[in-house]
Amino acid sequence: MMKVALIIVLAGCAFGKKMTFENKEIDAGNTVYKPVAVVFHDQRPEVLSGREKPSYCGHSNSTGQIGYNIQTASGKPLSTEFTNALVASLTKRQITAEALMAAHTQPADSILLAFKNGKMERLLYFTIARWEATMRPKFVTAEYEVVYNLELKVYDREGAILAN
């Protein structure tokens, strides 16, 4: 009986680990004056290769140091949650913003073309090159670490890069 209880406690700490980024307010860091389209394009090697789902956020270890994947709580791709969170934050600040969704398999030039066919004046194009959240349990708490590599390119209506 003690072994069963121990297994449940050790496994229960890691099962169901989810992360959510939607409904989180993001500080854009500066004022945006023109209407913007926002896209996060997931280009993580583990997602592109098919080893991980687009909803992959990282991994957690149980107290027994058994590793488990962490996915988004919604099951949506990580890039979708990031896009929705930034658009909601900008809109809350009364900045005209719309989400431009892109699949990880979609070529960059088709995303730029979709923007040009839209009505926004700027494109905030984020590339997710790396995102790896790690959760390690401590005695009473958990320690989280995120290693990431995001790139931002700002485009004008004609598709010229204004900032990188």
Side-chain angles (χ1 to χ4, degrees):
M1 185 65 158
M2 186 61 144
K3 286 182 182 180
V4 172
L6 183 60
I7 290 171
I8 291 171
V9 168
L10 293 177
C13 294
F15 286 123
K17 293 296 180 198
K18 305 285 183 187
M19 296 184 99
T20 184
F21 300 94
E22 291 185 313
N23 303 317
K24 304 291 183 204
E25 191 161 337
I26 300 168
D27 181 3
N30 55 18
T31 305
V32 178
Y33 297 103
K34 298 194 180 259
V36 295
V38 177
V39 64
F40 280 81
H41 193 204
D42 195 343
Q43 296 295 282
R44 296 176 290 169
E46 60 271 24
V47 174
L48 293 175
S49 71
R51 283 183 299 139
E52 297 295 347
K53 297 177 186 177
S55 60
Y56 174 73
C57 296
H59 65 277
S60 66
N61 292 328
S62 68
T63 51
Q65 296 306 309
I66 299 169
Y68 297 93
N69 279 358
I70 301 173
Q71 304 292 327
T72 59
S74 67
K76 295 176 190 171
L78 181 66
S79 59
T80 299
E81 289 210 2
F82 283 179
T83 300
N84 289 340
L86 184 53
V87 168
S89 294
L90 292 171
T91 302
K92 187 174 181 179
R93 292 183 168 179
Q94 300 178 348
I95 297 165
T96 303
E98 73 176 22
L100 182 62
M101 296 302 172
H104 62 282
T105 55
Q106 192 171 345
D109 58 348
S110 73
I111 296 168
L112 195 54
L113 182 61
F115 161 68
K116 288 179 182 181
N117 291 331
K119 60 183 184 282
M120 297 292 123
E121 294 184 42
R122 297 287 184 261
L123 172 63
L124 304 180
Y125 187 118
F126 292 87
T127 301
I128 306 171
R130 183 170 184 196
W131 182 273
E132 180 73 26
T134 305
M135 190 282 293
R136 290 179 205 87
K138 298 295 181 186
F139 182 68
V140 178
T141 62
E143 176 182 275
Y144 287 91
E145 174 184 72
V146 178
V147 178
Y148 62 92
N149 180 1
L150 301 175
E151 179 184 17
L152 168 61
K153 291 181 181 175
V154 180
Y155 291 91
D156 68 8
R157 277 298 301 140
E158 288 74 41
I161 295 179
L162 299 174
N164 187 3

